Amino acid sequence: MAQVIEQEITEEYAIYRGDCVDVIKGIPSDSIHYSIFSPPFASLYTYSASPRDMGNCSSHDDFAEHFKHLIPELFRVIKPGRLVSFHCMLLPTTKTRDGFIGITDFRGQLIKAFQDAGFYFHSEVVIWKDPVTAMQRTKALGLLHKQIKKDSCMSRQGIPDYLVTMRKPGDNDEPVAGRLTEFVGEGYPEHGKESDSRSIEIWQRYASPVWSDINPNETLQHRSAREHNDERHICPLQLQVIHRGLQLWTNPGDTVLSPFMGIGSEGYESLRADRRFVGIELKASYFEQARLNLRSANHETMPLFAGLDQ
């Protein structure tokens, strides 16, 4: 039975506070049209002190052991032929924790875990990040200019974000089809609304393997959800990235799932795009902030949700 600590169910969304591995078991099989989320970045960021928090782990192997229990449930609830997108990055190592300075292929580890559960590797896009901003925020040795003067063999490029998309095998019985009429990102296409030329131009931007036109600052405010001494850093998923995923891979009225809802970024964009949303979040302060963010979203009403069995 789903272990739900708290829930809020409306005509547009259903959100649950609890361990995502437990709660997702109450979602019917083949009922979710699309899932998009940012998983905990292994042991890089700690979001809460709870032993059930996947980000609260001592190693990458520890995280992988916990995460592998979620992926089969995601496979079960996603409709055949539909997609799961996750936001991730390569993870820097530290001499103190790992014994060397370098990079771990966290992205590749996640892809393999999804493939092992039966998903197909569908696509990925690199999301450009400013290395100067990263240098100022992290003081990473490899990004410092003084390292070029000292020994450039220890210098490196910045680490981008990725949006990786996996597909559940089977035929999609509800095709997502039609022109692209709305562009989300920096630098507005010039062609007229509803025209094929405009749709082509938008698609050419979206089809790029590198998205350099995402505003990194367009995220939901997170500071009100912070608690003392329980996290080192918040890495919210950019709203424009979420919206592009919804545009490309969902229809109006589709149900979108985030097993790591956080403060509700995926739900906020889903409701604004006339999609329905199911979210799961363990941390109480994040759940409360997500509730406020979803209530403030500009959306149309949708058919009534039924709650999960508890």
Side-chain angles (χ1 to χ4, degrees), residues 134-289:
M135 177 273 295
Q136 293 170 339
R137 179 171 57 83
T138 67
K139 307 301 181 186
L141 173 68
L143 295 178
L144 298 175
H145 181 260
K146 68 179 183 181
Q147 188 58 42
I148 293 290
K149 297 188 292 182
K150 182 179 179 181
D151 178 7
S152 64
C153 288
M154 288 300 293
S155 64
R156 63 167 173 82
Q157 285 72 34
I159 300 176
D161 287 347
Y162 294 86
L163 186 70
V164 179
T165 300
M166 314 297 293
R167 186 175 80 254
K168 180 175 176 176
D171 295 327
N172 175 24
D173 60 5
E174 301 175 42
V176 178
R179 291 174 177 159
L180 293 168
T181 60
E182 176 193 12
F183 175 78
V184 176
E186 304 302 293
Y188 206 72
E190 297 179 355
H191 293 295
K193 189 175 181 180
E194 303 293 345
S195 68
D196 281 338
S197 57
R198 175 177 173 78
S199 183
I200 291 170
E201 184 173 355
I202 294 173
W203 169 237
Q204 288 172 343
R205 294 279 289 274
Y206 287 8
S208 171
V210 180
W211 286 351
S212 57
D213 53 2
I214 297 296
N215 183 347
N217 299 317
E218 191 169 335
T219 61
L220 289 183
Q221 174 57 251
H222 67 269
R223 295 190 179 278
S224 57
R226 291 182 71 103
E227 291 179 353
H228 177 66
N229 200 33
D230 71 352
E231 68 231 10
R232 293 184 291 244
H233 183 69
I234 299 297
C235 189
L237 179 51
Q238 302 94 338
L239 297 181
Q240 292 175 348
V241 172
I242 299 169
H243 200 99
R244 286 187 179 186
L246 296 173
Q247 279 183 280
L248 288 172
W249 296 313
T250 66
N251 290 310
D254 279 358
T255 300
V256 178
L257 167 69
S258 175
F260 302 100
M261 178 175 63
I263 61 171
S265 299
E266 297 93 347
Y268 181 82
E269 283 301 298
S270 294
L271 299 188
R272 293 180 67 202
D274 294 334
R275 277 68 171 166
R276 301 188 295 170
F277 178 69
V278 177
I280 307 169
E281 174 54 42
L282 177 63
K283 184 176 175 181
S285 63
Y286 286 4
F287 179 87
E288 183 56 34
Q289 188 62 43

Side-chain angles (χ1 to χ4, degrees), residues 40-49 53-60 62-63 91-94 96-98 137-138 222-223 225-236 283 286:
F41 287 179
S43 58
L44 180 63
Y45 305 141
T46 299
Y47 299 93
S48 79
D53 187 339
M54 291 190 195
N56 185 19
C57 56
S58 60
S59 68
H60 293 230
D62 190 20
F63 169 81
L91 300 182
T93 65
T94 66
T96 302
R97 185 186 64 221
D98 306 290
R137 179 171 57 83
T138 67
H222 67 269
R223 295 190 179 278
R226 291 182 71 103
E227 291 179 353
H228 177 66
N229 200 33
D230 71 352
E231 68 231 10
R232 293 184 291 244
H233 183 69
I234 299 297
C235 189
K283 184 176 175 181
Y286 286 4

Side-chain angles (χ1 to χ4, degrees), residues 41-86:
F41 287 179
S43 58
L44 180 63
Y45 305 141
T46 299
Y47 299 93
S48 79
S50 171
R52 286 182 169 271
D53 187 339
M54 291 190 195
N56 185 19
C57 56
S58 60
S59 68
H60 293 230
D61 290 341
D62 190 20
F63 169 81
E65 181 64 27
H66 290 288
F67 194 65
K68 75 178 184 181
H69 293 289
L70 173 65
I71 302 176
E73 288 298 320
L74 279 172
F75 187 89
R76 179 184 64 80
V77 301
I78 293 292
K79 293 173 70 67
R82 301 303 287 263
L83 308 174
V84 175
S85 296
F86 58 84

Side-chain angles (χ1 to χ4, degrees), residues 12 243 267-275 292-302:
E12 302 87 22
H243 200 99
Y268 181 82
E269 283 301 298
S270 294
L271 299 188
R272 293 180 67 202
D274 294 334
R275 277 68 171 166
L292 297 175
N293 287 332
L294 294 186
R295 288 176 178 176
S296 71
N298 180 22
H299 57 269
E300 300 294 333
T301 59
M302 297 286 174

